[in-house]
Amino acid sequence: QVQLVESGGGLVQPGGSLRLSCAASGSIFSIYTMGWYRQAPGKQRELVADIANSKTTNYLDSVKGRFTITRDNVKNTVFLRMNALKPEDTAVYYCSADYIYEGESRRSWGQGTQVTVSS
């Protein structure tokens, strides 16, 4: 199985930047996609960005041009660089990893890290 540990959240002013990190351990060789989701109070969890083994990326429309997802396969770490942050980006951000275990596709989640954008 895959375990994920996140870091990098915090409080930032509108227009500021943050970088989130997520380190994977365990059955890392079976991971095929890693990503970041977020959940704001009273809202459903939504995909922010993901990146496949091929480095193909996918972004939520509202973060395109502001957020960048990258992946270091040597360090088994995925990053989310967030620029030009807006108050509506405030949420708990969760790292995810999709992997194959015993022939089935599974997903692991990180513990979540709070991002607050406020003046």
Side-chain angles (χ1 to χ4, degrees):
Q1 307 221 14
V2 173
Q3 296 80 43
L4 303 171
V5 177
E6 304 156 356
S7 60
L11 172 64
V12 64
Q13 292 186 342
S17 298
L18 281 175
R19 190 180 80 154
L20 306 182
S21 301
C22 173
S25 62
S27 300
I28 55 174
F29 58 90
S30 63
I31 295 174
Y32 56 92
T33 299
M34 296 188 75
W36 290 93
Y37 286 72
R38 68 186 182 188
Q39 188 166 19
K43 295 188 176 182
Q44 289 189 330
R45 190 173 297 190
E46 62 181 356
L47 175 66
V48 176
D50 63 20
I51 183 166
N53 285 351
S54 64
K55 299 297 179 71
T56 299
T57 57
N58 180 43
Y59 291 93
L60 179 67
D61 283 348
S62 63
V63 308
K64 286 180 180 177
R66 300 188 298 123
F67 292 11
T68 303
I69 189 169
T70 56
R71 186 170 166 184
D72 184 333
N73 288 330
V74 174
K75 297 182 178 180
N76 306 309
T77 302
V78 65
F79 304 94
L80 185 68
R81 177 66 179 181
M82 304 183 292
N83 294 328
L85 282 160
K86 304 175 181 180
E88 51 264 43
D89 295 317
T90 295
V92 178
Y93 283 69
Y94 297 91
C95 177
S96 69
D98 295 334
Y99 62 100
I100 301 298
Y101 183 75
E102 295 184 341
E104 295 184 351
S105 181
R106 296 194 178 187
R107 174 171 291 171
S108 285
W109 294 99
Q111 78 279 10
T113 185
Q114 178 70 46
V115 171
T116 302
V117 185
S118 175
S119 55

